[in-house]
Amino acid sequence: MKKFLYIIFILIISNNIFAQDNISFTAQANRTVAVGQQFRLTYNINSKGSNFRAPTFTNFDVLMGPSQSTSSSMQIINGNVTQSFSYSFTYILAAKKEGKFTIKPASITVNGKKYTSNPITITVVKGNATVQNNNYGGNQGNTSGVSNKNIFIRLYLNKNTAYEGEQIIATVKIYTRVGIAGFDDINFPSYDGFFSQEIPTPNNISFTRENINGTIYNVGVLQKMILYPQRSGKLTIKPFNITAVVQKRVRRHSTGFFDDFFSSGYQNIKKILHSNTVSINIKPLPNKPTEFNGAVGHFNLSANINKTSTKADEPIVLKVKISGNGNLKLIDDPKFDFPPDFDVYDPKINNNIKNDESGAHGTISYEYLIIPRNGGDFKINPYKFIYFDTNKKKYITLSTKEFNIHVDKADGSSSKTIVNNISKENVKYLNKDIRYIKTSKIKLKPVNNYFFGSITFYLIYIIAIIIFITIYLLKRKSIKQNANIVAVKNKKANKVAKKRLKIANKYLREQNKEQFYQEITNAIWGYLSDKLNIQIADLTKEKAKENLLIKNIDKEKINELINLLDKCEFARFSSATTEHDLDQVYNQASKLISDIENKI
Amino acid sequence: MKQLYITILIFLSLIFSVNANNNYSLLDSAKTYYKNKKYEKAITTYKKIIKSGYESAEVYYNTGNCYYKLDSIPYAILYYEKAKLLKPNDEDINYNLKIANLKTIDKLDVLPKFFLTKWIDNFIDLFSSDSWAYISIISFIIFLSLILLFFFTRKMTIKRTSFFTSLIFIIITILSFNFAKKQNNKITAHNYAIITTPTLTAKNSPDDSGNDAFIIHEGTKVKLQDKVGEWSEIKLSDGSIGWVKNKTFAVI
């Protein structure tokens, strides 16, 4: 009996189980997903099955799955026990591309009977692949759950137009009417075309209440930046995204007793917030002066020097301070016109710049270390600092003082540096002393009194020329006179010879033989002497011969003459002569003389 | 009337001789000052002599020495250069000038000269202006004598040699006259100067606001080329040209 009861009990139960013939096998998934976005595909079956076959997911990546889960529940209502089983197969998929895709049914076998699920059509839209919409713990996680009216972000600029380099404050604000649990993914704008600097904001966002179009929002500042436009024209700050985790109050369908107790009733939802597009008109700076170094704002300039008189090789410090409000960070270092002989080191730059609501302000100080290397009086020309005043809308020139520096020569130690410059060939002279002064034989002479160019100098030339000319003239005159004597002699020669011959003729008649020959000889010699202009004492037969030859007398005539002379000399001292001979000699002599006379 | 002239002449010569005597005693005292290392006093003494209208290479040389001893290199160089003008080939002057030049800061590259001009320049520097003048005169007299010989000799060989040697001597006369002129120009032109300012920035134009051309330091020898008001155009031995103020240098 007891056994029977058991069987009945089992039968009842089993009947109960088997009575559940209405087996449902369904597929569930988000109907609209973005490309790359993870989503869940769940197959639910309310009975235990086997041989689950999933379709092929051609257009989706299977990131995980299938993961099985089982749940069973038993309900006893008024003694009526209902039990339900639930098996689920879950896939996590990601869509590969945009489009409308149908996932084919899956199949499962329950008690030998094959069941198929419903096909599911999923629309894949273009989306931000990086944004992953993970719905924590809730299967109803839906981004559309929080409307854009309830939470949004805005970027504000404090100016509509600005000059190049003028500072602009950009503020990113979040407006919300819902609670924010935190931020997941903050992509602040890139501020293309600007040089940007952040103004520090507290880490905890403090919200203030603001009324916008009749709606009250909690407003928090996410970021504050100082922007310096780097180029003119219309600059656009592209929209940016912030993913906020929003707390949303949810109404759960379950009425479980413990539910309210454990759950706060809020659900964290990720919400991607898109900002507005902001553009600003940047005006170019009016024609820039050449010395303009990019400073825009309002500035003061001061400079001082620690000493104006120093020694060579001793450093001087020149301090320049630029203070004010503007793009201090973008200002070029002041360029001083230091004397080229100075060693100048790169300035030490001290920044004391604060960024806050009013923009960047503070001071930059530059410390120049300069070392004069040689003595002298030097001038550091004023440094001109030109900035564009955004209030006055014009360039303003500030200028430092002019510094005059007196540098004394270095004592001794600097000569070492000079030594390095000396070439090798000069090294041998190093450390040698100069030679002693000259003490003896000093001849002083009046300044600017030079022999060259003096009157004496030229006078000597003139006197020399005069002497030369006088000597020349005198000598020429005497030569001329001599020449005259010769001519006279020449002319007279014939006459003299004839006179002599006449005397000879007289002796001939007297038959004075000795005297006759003597006279003939004298006549011939005298004639030759006069004609040839040779002293009788110097005259020899050879000389006479030579000179006559020069005067183009025939050789025969010359020989005849010489023979005649020989003959006369011989006859003078011999007695063997006749009267006839005397006649002949006389005729011959007079004939020869007249012949020669004709020739010369 | 004649007597008056004579008395004036005698009087003048007396003054000069007194002056000269006075100068020689000054020379002696300067010598003692130098010996006792009272260089500043020696300088004033030498300057007194120069101021009285007398000069000599030795006085300039000695003054240069005093300045050197006082470590006033630019003035030492200035006076050595003055001495060198009067005695270009004096060994002591050249030696001390070289030593002083070693102490200057600027070591300028000298523009390369054609070797022939360099030789000629060195050759001209062998003698002073007056020595060249004497050479010129002597060779001119020799030339004239040779020409006389040429005219009046009867021997052909003597005639020929005298002719050619006279040609050589007339060339020597002309050359040495030119050399004398050149040396004299150097002294009288005063177109070289020594920088006396420790550091000097030469400008590209005769104007304070002009661009900087180059920097030179004391002791550098420069050539003066042009003058505009208180500015002078200088040329360095390396060929650079710039303008500096007149008070920054001392003319040799």
mmCIF file of all heavy atoms in Angstrom, chain A residues 341 374-375 409 433-439 443-447 450-452 461 475, chain B residues 24 31 53 55-56 61-62 65 69 90 92 96 105 130 136 180 187 198-199 217-218:
data_model
loop_
_atom_site.group_PDB
_atom_site.id
_atom_site.type_symbol
_atom_site.label_atom_id
_atom_site.label_comp_id
_atom_site.label_asym_id
_atom_site.label_seq_id
_atom_site.Cartn_x
_atom_site.Cartn_y
_atom_site.Cartn_z
ATOM 1 N N ASP A 341 81.681 91.878 -27.939
ATOM 2 C CA ASP A 341 82.867 91.392 -27.257
ATOM 3 C C ASP A 341 82.522 90.669 -25.961
ATOM 4 O O ASP A 341 83.387 90.071 -25.343
ATOM 5 C CB ASP A 341 83.752 92.590 -26.956
ATOM 6 C CG ASP A 341 85.198 92.215 -27.028
ATOM 7 O OD1 ASP A 341 85.485 91.226 -27.706
ATOM 8 O OD2 ASP A 341 86.025 92.895 -26.408
ATOM 9 N N ASN A 374 87.053 92.372 -22.325
ATOM 10 C CA ASN A 374 88.093 93.376 -22.498
ATOM 11 C C ASN A 374 87.614 94.689 -21.911
ATOM 12 O O ASN A 374 86.420 94.912 -21.750
ATOM 13 C CB ASN A 374 88.410 93.569 -23.979
ATOM 14 C CG ASN A 374 89.123 92.376 -24.548
ATOM 15 O OD1 ASN A 374 90.255 92.089 -24.207
ATOM 16 N ND2 ASN A 374 88.427 91.645 -25.403
ATOM 17 N N GLY A 375 88.557 95.531 -21.585
ATOM 18 C CA GLY A 375 88.208 96.813 -21.004
ATOM 19 C C GLY A 375 87.561 97.741 -22.001
ATOM 20 O O GLY A 375 87.626 97.516 -23.204
ATOM 21 N N LYS A 409 90.335 97.249 -17.281
ATOM 22 C CA LYS A 409 91.155 96.130 -17.774
ATOM 23 C C LYS A 409 91.355 95.120 -16.661
ATOM 24 O O LYS A 409 91.439 95.468 -15.486
ATOM 25 C CB LYS A 409 92.509 96.673 -18.219
ATOM 26 C CG LYS A 409 92.487 97.218 -19.610
ATOM 27 C CD LYS A 409 93.902 97.454 -20.046
ATOM 28 C CE LYS A 409 94.015 98.715 -20.855
ATOM 29 N NZ LYS A 409 95.370 99.076 -21.130
ATOM 30 N N ASP A 433 111.813 90.617 -22.717
ATOM 31 C CA ASP A 433 111.616 92.034 -22.478
ATOM 32 C C ASP A 433 112.051 92.800 -23.722
ATOM 33 O O ASP A 433 112.765 92.275 -24.580
ATOM 34 C CB ASP A 433 112.433 92.457 -21.265
ATOM 35 C CG ASP A 433 111.878 93.746 -20.682
ATOM 36 O OD1 ASP A 433 110.834 94.218 -21.197
ATOM 37 O OD2 ASP A 433 112.478 94.272 -19.746
ATOM 38 N N ILE A 434 111.591 94.026 -23.758
ATOM 39 C CA ILE A 434 112.002 94.874 -24.872
ATOM 40 C C ILE A 434 113.462 95.276 -24.694
ATOM 41 O O ILE A 434 114.031 95.157 -23.603
ATOM 42 C CB ILE A 434 111.115 96.145 -24.950
ATOM 43 C CG1 ILE A 434 111.016 96.794 -23.569
ATOM 44 C CG2 ILE A 434 109.758 95.814 -25.492
ATOM 45 C CD1 ILE A 434 110.446 98.168 -23.608
ATOM 46 N N ARG A 435 114.043 95.741 -25.764
ATOM 47 C CA ARG A 435 115.438 96.191 -25.678
ATOM 48 C C ARG A 435 115.510 97.555 -25.024
ATOM 49 O O ARG A 435 114.542 98.319 -25.017
ATOM 50 C CB ARG A 435 116.031 96.224 -27.080
ATOM 51 C CG ARG A 435 116.125 94.830 -27.634
ATOM 52 C CD ARG A 435 116.902 94.782 -28.908
ATOM 53 N NE ARG A 435 116.896 93.411 -29.407
ATOM 54 C CZ ARG A 435 117.287 93.080 -30.623
ATOM 55 N NH1 ARG A 435 117.713 94.011 -31.448
ATOM 56 N NH2 ARG A 435 117.265 91.828 -30.999
ATOM 57 N N TYR A 436 116.674 97.836 -24.517
ATOM 58 C CA TYR A 436 116.863 99.067 -23.745
ATOM 59 C C TYR A 436 116.799 100.292 -24.660
ATOM 60 O O TYR A 436 116.985 100.183 -25.878
ATOM 61 C CB TYR A 436 118.213 98.994 -23.031
ATOM 62 C CG TYR A 436 118.310 99.955 -21.881
ATOM 63 C CD1 TYR A 436 117.539 99.738 -20.734
ATOM 64 C CD2 TYR A 436 119.115 101.062 -21.941
ATOM 65 C CE1 TYR A 436 117.614 100.615 -19.681
ATOM 66 C CE2 TYR A 436 119.198 101.945 -20.886
ATOM 67 C CZ TYR A 436 118.446 101.723 -19.756
ATOM 68 O OH TYR A 436 118.513 102.599 -18.716
ATOM 69 N N ILE A 437 116.561 101.415 -24.040
ATOM 70 C CA ILE A 437 116.476 102.643 -24.834
ATOM 71 C C ILE A 437 117.822 102.962 -25.482
ATOM 72 O O ILE A 437 118.869 102.492 -25.050
ATOM 73 C CB ILE A 437 116.026 103.854 -23.978
ATOM 74 C CG1 ILE A 437 116.901 103.979 -22.727
ATOM 75 C CG2 ILE A 437 114.579 103.755 -23.614
ATOM 76 C CD1 ILE A 437 116.746 105.303 -22.038
ATOM 77 N N LYS A 438 117.742 103.778 -26.515
ATOM 78 C CA LYS A 438 118.964 104.206 -27.189
ATOM 79 C C LYS A 438 119.480 105.440 -26.461
ATOM 80 O O LYS A 438 118.721 106.357 -26.152
ATOM 81 C CB LYS A 438 118.655 104.537 -28.644
ATOM 82 C CG LYS A 438 118.324 103.295 -29.424
ATOM 83 C CD LYS A 438 117.969 103.628 -30.838
ATOM 84 C CE LYS A 438 117.425 102.390 -31.518
ATOM 85 N NZ LYS A 438 118.320 101.853 -32.522
ATOM 86 N N THR A 439 120.750 105.422 -26.169
ATOM 87 C CA THR A 439 121.273 106.517 -25.356
ATOM 88 C C THR A 439 122.316 107.337 -26.110
ATOM 89 O O THR A 439 122.496 108.516 -25.842
ATOM 90 C CB THR A 439 121.907 105.961 -24.077
ATOM 91 O OG1 THR A 439 122.788 104.899 -24.437
ATOM 92 C CG2 THR A 439 120.854 105.433 -23.145
ATOM 93 N N LYS A 443 120.613 112.029 -32.802
ATOM 94 C CA LYS A 443 120.667 113.268 -33.576
ATOM 95 C C LYS A 443 119.260 113.810 -33.656
ATOM 96 O O LYS A 443 118.387 113.211 -34.272
ATOM 97 C CB LYS A 443 121.188 112.961 -34.982
ATOM 98 C CG LYS A 443 122.631 113.321 -35.158
ATOM 99 C CD LYS A 443 122.959 113.253 -36.626
ATOM 100 C CE LYS A 443 124.433 113.368 -36.865
ATOM 101 N NZ LYS A 443 124.765 112.985 -38.235
ATOM 102 N N LEU A 444 119.096 114.958 -33.021
ATOM 103 C CA LEU A 444 117.767 115.566 -33.109
ATOM 104 C C LEU A 444 117.715 116.414 -34.358
ATOM 105 O O LEU A 444 118.700 117.057 -34.729
ATOM 106 C CB LEU A 444 117.533 116.454 -31.883
ATOM 107 C CG LEU A 444 117.325 115.713 -30.573
ATOM 108 C CD1 LEU A 444 117.285 116.697 -29.424
ATOM 109 C CD2 LEU A 444 116.042 114.915 -30.619
ATOM 110 N N LYS A 445 116.596 116.349 -34.974
ATOM 111 C CA LYS A 445 116.455 117.257 -36.113
ATOM 112 C C LYS A 445 115.044 117.792 -36.111
ATOM 113 O O LYS A 445 114.128 117.144 -35.576
ATOM 114 C CB LYS A 445 116.842 116.519 -37.400
ATOM 115 C CG LYS A 445 115.766 115.756 -38.065
ATOM 116 C CD LYS A 445 116.368 114.896 -39.143
ATOM 117 C CE LYS A 445 115.441 113.757 -39.473
ATOM 118 N NZ LYS A 445 114.334 114.037 -40.274
ATOM 119 N N PRO A 446 114.889 119.002 -36.640
ATOM 120 C CA PRO A 446 113.559 119.625 -36.570
ATOM 121 C C PRO A 446 112.489 118.717 -37.172
ATOM 122 O O PRO A 446 112.727 118.008 -38.148
ATOM 123 C CB PRO A 446 113.721 120.902 -37.392
ATOM 124 C CG PRO A 446 115.172 121.179 -37.356
ATOM 125 C CD PRO A 446 115.866 119.869 -37.265
ATOM 126 N N VAL A 447 111.359 118.777 -36.546
ATOM 127 C CA VAL A 447 110.249 117.956 -37.016
ATOM 128 C C VAL A 447 109.859 118.387 -38.430
ATOM 129 O O VAL A 447 109.953 119.568 -38.770
ATOM 130 C CB VAL A 447 109.047 118.115 -36.068
ATOM 131 C CG1 VAL A 447 107.855 117.338 -36.583
ATOM 132 C CG2 VAL A 447 109.414 117.643 -34.689
ATOM 133 N N TYR A 450 112.740 117.249 -43.738
ATOM 134 C CA TYR A 450 113.293 116.087 -44.430
ATOM 135 C C TYR A 450 114.136 116.563 -45.593
ATOM 136 O O TYR A 450 113.826 117.564 -46.235
ATOM 137 C CB TYR A 450 112.174 115.180 -44.913
ATOM 138 C CG TYR A 450 111.238 114.774 -43.815
ATOM 139 C CD1 TYR A 450 109.941 115.281 -43.749
ATOM 140 C CD2 TYR A 450 111.672 113.918 -42.803
ATOM 141 C CE1 TYR A 450 109.101 114.941 -42.725
ATOM 142 C CE2 TYR A 450 110.837 113.566 -41.761
ATOM 143 C CZ TYR A 450 109.556 114.074 -41.727
ATOM 144 O OH TYR A 450 108.727 113.735 -40.711
ATOM 145 N N PHE A 451 115.197 115.828 -45.825
ATOM 146 C CA PHE A 451 116.089 116.174 -46.920
ATOM 147 C C PHE A 451 115.348 116.014 -48.241
ATOM 148 O O PHE A 451 115.386 116.876 -49.105
ATOM 149 C CB PHE A 451 117.327 115.289 -46.861
ATOM 150 C CG PHE A 451 118.257 115.524 -48.004
ATOM 151 C CD1 PHE A 451 118.813 116.776 -48.216
ATOM 152 C CD2 PHE A 451 118.578 114.500 -48.886
ATOM 153 C CE1 PHE A 451 119.661 116.989 -49.265
ATOM 154 C CE2 PHE A 451 119.428 114.715 -49.946
ATOM 155 C CZ PHE A 451 119.974 115.967 -50.142
ATOM 156 N N PHE A 452 114.625 114.904 -48.328
ATOM 157 C CA PHE A 452 113.862 114.692 -49.555
ATOM 158 C C PHE A 452 112.799 115.770 -49.671
ATOM 159 O O PHE A 452 112.072 116.028 -48.728
ATOM 160 C CB PHE A 452 113.209 113.309 -49.561
ATOM 161 C CG PHE A 452 112.368 113.075 -50.778
ATOM 162 C CD1 PHE A 452 112.943 112.608 -51.942
ATOM 163 C CD2 PHE A 452 111.010 113.354 -50.766
ATOM 164 C CE1 PHE A 452 112.175 112.403 -53.059
ATOM 165 C CE2 PHE A 452 110.237 113.153 -51.886
ATOM 166 C CZ PHE A 452 110.821 112.682 -53.044
ATOM 167 N N TYR A 461 120.354 118.754 -57.461
ATOM 168 C CA TYR A 461 120.100 118.262 -58.825
ATOM 169 C C TYR A 461 120.390 119.357 -59.836
ATOM 170 O O TYR A 461 121.088 119.154 -60.833
ATOM 171 C CB TYR A 461 118.636 117.835 -58.988
ATOM 172 C CG TYR A 461 118.338 116.439 -58.504
ATOM 173 C CD1 TYR A 461 117.630 116.226 -57.333
ATOM 174 C CD2 TYR A 461 118.761 115.329 -59.246
ATOM 175 C CE1 TYR A 461 117.353 114.966 -56.889
ATOM 176 C CE2 TYR A 461 118.485 114.057 -58.796
ATOM 177 C CZ TYR A 461 117.778 113.869 -57.629
ATOM 178 O OH TYR A 461 117.510 112.615 -57.210
ATOM 179 N N LYS A 475 134.225 122.196 -72.621
ATOM 180 C CA LYS A 475 135.005 121.166 -73.297
ATOM 181 C C LYS A 475 134.733 121.232 -74.797
ATOM 182 O O LYS A 475 135.654 121.147 -75.623
ATOM 183 C CB LYS A 475 134.588 119.811 -72.721
ATOM 184 C CG LYS A 475 135.465 118.658 -73.132
ATOM 185 C CD LYS A 475 136.636 118.456 -72.180
ATOM 186 C CE LYS A 475 137.462 117.320 -72.740
ATOM 187 N NZ LYS A 475 138.769 117.168 -72.155
ATOM 188 N N TYR B 24 119.341 118.443 -25.634
ATOM 189 C CA TYR B 24 120.290 117.358 -25.340
ATOM 190 C C TYR B 24 120.404 117.121 -23.840
ATOM 191 O O TYR B 24 120.533 115.977 -23.405
ATOM 192 C CB TYR B 24 121.668 117.668 -25.965
ATOM 193 C CG TYR B 24 121.638 117.394 -27.454
ATOM 194 C CD1 TYR B 24 121.702 118.415 -28.390
ATOM 195 C CD2 TYR B 24 121.497 116.073 -27.917
ATOM 196 C CE1 TYR B 24 121.630 118.153 -29.743
ATOM 197 C CE2 TYR B 24 121.425 115.810 -29.278
ATOM 198 C CZ TYR B 24 121.496 116.849 -30.181
ATOM 199 O OH TYR B 24 121.418 116.570 -31.510
ATOM 200 N N LYS B 31 117.021 109.962 -19.855
ATOM 201 C CA LYS B 31 117.767 108.709 -19.748
ATOM 202 C C LYS B 31 117.855 108.267 -18.288
ATOM 203 O O LYS B 31 117.631 107.095 -17.971
ATOM 204 C CB LYS B 31 119.159 108.928 -20.334
ATOM 205 C CG LYS B 31 119.950 107.664 -20.525
ATOM 206 C CD LYS B 31 121.198 107.948 -21.311
ATOM 207 C CE LYS B 31 122.314 108.429 -20.419
ATOM 208 N NZ LYS B 31 123.529 108.768 -21.178
ATOM 209 N N GLY B 53 109.839 120.942 -31.263
ATOM 210 C CA GLY B 53 109.992 120.945 -32.713
ATOM 211 C C GLY B 53 111.132 120.078 -33.203
ATOM 212 O O GLY B 53 111.576 120.213 -34.334
ATOM 213 N N GLU B 55 112.764 116.037 -33.523
ATOM 214 C CA GLU B 55 112.401 114.614 -33.440
ATOM 215 C C GLU B 55 113.594 113.785 -33.860
ATOM 216 O O GLU B 55 114.551 114.280 -34.464
ATOM 217 C CB GLU B 55 111.214 114.311 -34.358
ATOM 218 C CG GLU B 55 111.550 114.474 -35.831
ATOM 219 C CD GLU B 55 110.417 114.080 -36.751
ATOM 220 O OE1 GLU B 55 109.350 113.731 -36.268
ATOM 221 O OE2 GLU B 55 110.639 114.139 -37.965
ATOM 222 N N SER B 56 113.507 112.522 -33.500
ATOM 223 C CA SER B 56 114.467 111.552 -34.021
ATOM 224 C C SER B 56 113.888 110.183 -33.748
ATOM 225 O O SER B 56 113.066 110.008 -32.849
ATOM 226 C CB SER B 56 115.833 111.713 -33.356
ATOM 227 O OG SER B 56 115.875 110.967 -32.179
ATOM 228 N N TYR B 61 111.518 105.987 -30.188
ATOM 229 C CA TYR B 61 111.760 104.618 -29.718
ATOM 230 C C TYR B 61 111.799 104.581 -28.197
ATOM 231 O O TYR B 61 111.166 103.743 -27.555
ATOM 232 C CB TYR B 61 113.082 104.132 -30.324
ATOM 233 C CG TYR B 61 113.634 102.858 -29.737
ATOM 234 C CD1 TYR B 61 113.162 101.613 -30.156
ATOM 235 C CD2 TYR B 61 114.644 102.898 -28.781
ATOM 236 C CE1 TYR B 61 113.683 100.455 -29.632
ATOM 237 C CE2 TYR B 61 115.171 101.743 -28.249
ATOM 238 C CZ TYR B 61 114.690 100.522 -28.670
ATOM 239 O OH TYR B 61 115.194 99.371 -28.152
ATOM 240 N N ASN B 62 112.525 105.565 -27.613
ATOM 241 C CA ASN B 62 112.638 105.597 -26.157
ATOM 242 C C ASN B 62 111.289 105.866 -25.505
ATOM 243 O O ASN B 62 110.941 105.266 -24.490
ATOM 244 C CB ASN B 62 113.641 106.676 -25.743
ATOM 245 C CG ASN B 62 115.048 106.299 -26.174
ATOM 246 O OD1 ASN B 62 115.272 105.191 -26.657
ATOM 247 N ND2 ASN B 62 115.981 107.222 -26.010
ATOM 248 N N ASN B 65 109.369 102.773 -25.469
ATOM 249 C CA ASN B 65 109.839 101.899 -24.395
ATOM 250 C C ASN B 65 109.203 102.273 -23.060
ATOM 251 O O ASN B 65 108.791 101.404 -22.291
ATOM 252 C CB ASN B 65 111.359 102.011 -24.281
ATOM 253 C CG ASN B 65 112.049 100.983 -25.151
ATOM 254 O OD1 ASN B 65 111.402 100.304 -25.935
ATOM 255 N ND2 ASN B 65 113.349 100.884 -25.021
ATOM 256 N N LYS B 69 106.818 99.978 -20.727
ATOM 257 C CA LYS B 69 107.081 99.657 -19.325
ATOM 258 C C LYS B 69 105.877 100.001 -18.457
ATOM 259 O O LYS B 69 105.649 99.368 -17.427
ATOM 260 C CB LYS B 69 108.306 100.435 -18.836
ATOM 261 C CG LYS B 69 109.607 99.937 -19.449
ATOM 262 C CD LYS B 69 109.989 98.591 -18.891
ATOM 263 C CE LYS B 69 111.318 98.132 -19.447
ATOM 264 N NZ LYS B 69 111.588 96.736 -19.123
ATOM 265 N N ASP B 90 115.761 99.789 -38.599
ATOM 266 C CA ASP B 90 116.476 99.679 -37.331
ATOM 267 C C ASP B 90 116.055 98.403 -36.609
ATOM 268 O O ASP B 90 114.869 98.150 -36.405
ATOM 269 C CB ASP B 90 116.162 100.897 -36.468
ATOM 270 C CG ASP B 90 117.033 100.942 -35.234
ATOM 271 O OD1 ASP B 90 116.738 100.195 -34.275
ATOM 272 O OD2 ASP B 90 118.008 101.695 -35.245
ATOM 273 N N ASP B 92 116.522 97.341 -33.445
ATOM 274 C CA ASP B 92 115.923 97.477 -32.114
ATOM 275 C C ASP B 92 114.464 97.881 -32.214
ATOM 276 O O ASP B 92 113.613 97.355 -31.504
ATOM 277 C CB ASP B 92 116.678 98.534 -31.300
ATOM 278 C CG ASP B 92 118.067 98.049 -30.935
ATOM 279 O OD1 ASP B 92 118.265 96.818 -31.008
ATOM 280 O OD2 ASP B 92 118.924 98.884 -30.619
ATOM 281 N N ASN B 96 111.386 95.587 -30.757
ATOM 282 C CA ASN B 96 110.466 96.019 -29.702
ATOM 283 C C ASN B 96 109.039 96.135 -30.220
ATOM 284 O O ASN B 96 108.081 95.840 -29.505
ATOM 285 C CB ASN B 96 110.924 97.361 -29.135
ATOM 286 C CG ASN B 96 112.079 97.168 -28.187
ATOM 287 O OD1 ASN B 96 112.586 96.057 -28.048
ATOM 288 N ND2 ASN B 96 112.495 98.238 -27.546
ATOM 289 N N ILE B 105 95.475 92.377 -28.641
ATOM 290 C CA ILE B 105 94.446 91.338 -28.601
ATOM 291 C C ILE B 105 94.114 90.836 -29.993
ATOM 292 O O ILE B 105 93.973 89.647 -30.217
ATOM 293 C CB ILE B 105 93.190 91.886 -27.913
ATOM 294 C CG1 ILE B 105 93.516 92.160 -26.437
ATOM 295 C CG2 ILE B 105 92.037 90.904 -28.002
ATOM 296 C CD1 ILE B 105 92.664 93.202 -25.807
ATOM 297 N N ASP B 130 115.389 109.988 -46.452
ATOM 298 C CA ASP B 130 116.541 110.835 -46.730
ATOM 299 C C ASP B 130 117.701 110.029 -47.307
ATOM 300 O O ASP B 130 118.407 110.502 -48.201
ATOM 301 C CB ASP B 130 116.977 111.561 -45.460
ATOM 302 C CG ASP B 130 116.011 112.691 -45.142
ATOM 303 O OD1 ASP B 130 115.056 112.859 -45.922
ATOM 304 O OD2 ASP B 130 116.209 113.383 -44.134
ATOM 305 N N SER B 136 119.877 108.813 -54.463
ATOM 306 C CA SER B 136 119.410 109.342 -55.739
ATOM 307 C C SER B 136 120.365 110.424 -56.255
ATOM 308 O O SER B 136 120.761 110.411 -57.416
ATOM 309 C CB SER B 136 118.000 109.896 -55.555
ATOM 310 O OG SER B 136 117.624 110.619 -56.682
ATOM 311 N N ALA B 180 112.427 107.315 -52.213
ATOM 312 C CA ALA B 180 112.512 108.394 -51.229
ATOM 313 C C ALA B 180 111.157 109.065 -51.089
ATOM 314 O O ALA B 180 110.691 109.353 -49.993
ATOM 315 C CB ALA B 180 113.561 109.407 -51.666
ATOM 316 N N ILE B 187 105.755 109.119 -44.046
ATOM 317 C CA ILE B 187 105.934 109.942 -42.853
ATOM 318 C C ILE B 187 104.955 111.098 -42.856
ATOM 319 O O ILE B 187 104.324 111.401 -41.853
ATOM 320 C CB ILE B 187 107.375 110.492 -42.792
ATOM 321 C CG1 ILE B 187 108.370 109.349 -42.877
ATOM 322 C CG2 ILE B 187 107.594 111.295 -41.529
ATOM 323 C CD1 ILE B 187 109.784 109.803 -43.067
ATOM 324 N N PRO B 198 90.144 100.656 -25.573
ATOM 325 C CA PRO B 198 90.295 99.221 -25.265
ATOM 326 C C PRO B 198 89.475 98.324 -26.179
ATOM 327 O O PRO B 198 89.980 97.345 -26.694
ATOM 328 C CB PRO B 198 89.822 99.119 -23.822
ATOM 329 C CG PRO B 198 90.027 100.466 -23.254
ATOM 330 C CD PRO B 198 89.866 101.447 -24.368
ATOM 331 N N THR B 199 88.220 98.631 -26.328
ATOM 332 C CA THR B 199 87.380 97.840 -27.226
ATOM 333 C C THR B 199 86.584 98.809 -28.078
ATOM 334 O O THR B 199 85.990 99.743 -27.551
ATOM 335 C CB THR B 199 86.407 96.948 -26.440
ATOM 336 O OG1 THR B 199 87.170 96.207 -25.505
ATOM 337 C CG2 THR B 199 85.671 96.007 -27.353
ATOM 338 N N HIS B 217 90.419 95.981 -30.946
ATOM 339 C CA HIS B 217 90.874 96.349 -29.612
ATOM 340 C C HIS B 217 92.105 97.225 -29.721
ATOM 341 O O HIS B 217 92.685 97.377 -30.790
ATOM 342 C CB HIS B 217 91.155 95.090 -28.797
ATOM 343 C CG HIS B 217 89.955 94.218 -28.645
ATOM 344 N ND1 HIS B 217 89.731 93.131 -29.455
ATOM 345 C CD2 HIS B 217 88.900 94.296 -27.818
ATOM 346 C CE1 HIS B 217 88.597 92.574 -29.122
ATOM 347 N NE2 HIS B 217 88.059 93.252 -28.131
ATOM 348 N N GLU B 218 92.493 97.758 -28.573
ATOM 349 C CA GLU B 218 93.599 98.701 -28.544
ATOM 350 C C GLU B 218 94.870 98.068 -29.106
ATOM 351 O O GLU B 218 95.100 96.871 -28.974
ATOM 352 C CB GLU B 218 93.846 99.167 -27.106
ATOM 353 C CG GLU B 218 94.035 98.019 -26.132
ATOM 354 C CD GLU B 218 94.233 98.493 -24.714
ATOM 355 O OE1 GLU B 218 94.077 99.686 -24.474
ATOM 356 O OE2 GLU B 218 94.551 97.651 -23.870
#
